[in-house]
Amino acid sequence: LMDITNFGKFVFMFSISLTLASVASVGAPALLLRELSANFSNGYIGVSQRQITRMVFPWPICILLAFAAIYYLIHLTVLTIFDKTLISFASMLVIAGVSFLINLINVVAVIYRVQGFIGTAMAFRDAGPQTIMLLAAVLAAVFGRVEPLVVFSFSLVLMVLSVTIGITIIRRKVYA
């Protein structure tokens, strides 16, 4: 689907997004797994819904925005010295968005795991981002724009849809 240069750039962007998702999560999925498991098993209430929301949304967003700001400064410096960069700042913002959504996919997977849907959790966490990227690449090919930034943009939309669907299903199972 992609030529060798675009594929290399795509792989580089995807590896950055996976790494950033792990860093930006600040261990929230592991903490949620421990706390929610204890809550479901014996009624222990360790973290409130407000604390969970803080762990899942503001912290990762702040970390990713800080990384984007640092990258912007580095980007300007490299652009000034070498007159080109590997990844544009717009691409880095899309990477940060994908990283945030990968983190949300991991959180949804934890909620599925705690509720006993281990297979679904593993599919969400382990195959979710890769499958979404594959579908995004196919969509980009259908539209005739198989470039890394276009694939990542399609993946943003698909990840938002998958997180929304995952949360909707969780809410129906919890409140049913």
Side-chain angles (χ1 to χ4, degrees), residues 51-156:
Q51 290 170 319
I52 290 172
T53 305
R54 268 192 247 140
M55 284 188 293
V56 172
F57 291 103
W59 283 110
I61 289 172
C62 289
I63 290 168
L64 290 169
L65 286 176
F67 181 81
I70 291 167
Y71 181 79
Y72 181 71
L73 297 174
I74 292 170
H75 172 76
L76 290 178
T77 305
V78 170
L79 193 61
T80 304
I81 295 171
F82 297 109
D83 200 32
K84 68 178 184 175
T85 60
L86 184 61
I87 297 176
S88 69
F89 182 65
S91 296
M92 187 51 69
L93 289 177
V94 172
I95 289 170
V98 167
S99 299
F100 177 71
L101 289 168
I102 289 172
N103 183 39
L104 282 183
I105 287 172
N106 289 335
V107 168
V108 169
V110 164
I111 295 169
Y112 274 113
R113 184 173 175 192
V114 168
Q115 291 181 346
F117 302 104
I118 296 172
T120 305
M122 288 173 59
F124 242 89
R125 188 195 69 217
D126 298 336
Q130 292 83 353
T131 304
I132 289 170
M133 282 296 175
L134 176 64
L135 291 174
V138 169
L139 273 174
V142 166
F143 286 100
R145 299 276 320 261
V146 188
E147 299 147 15
L149 187 57
V150 174
V151 173
F152 265 72
S153 299
F154 277 127
S155 73
L156 274 173

Side-chain angles (χ1 to χ4, degrees), residues 42-54:
N42 62 11
Y44 164 77
I45 300 175
V47 290
S48 67
Q49 193 171 14
R50 174 181 266 172
Q51 290 170 319
I52 290 172
T53 305
R54 268 192 247 140

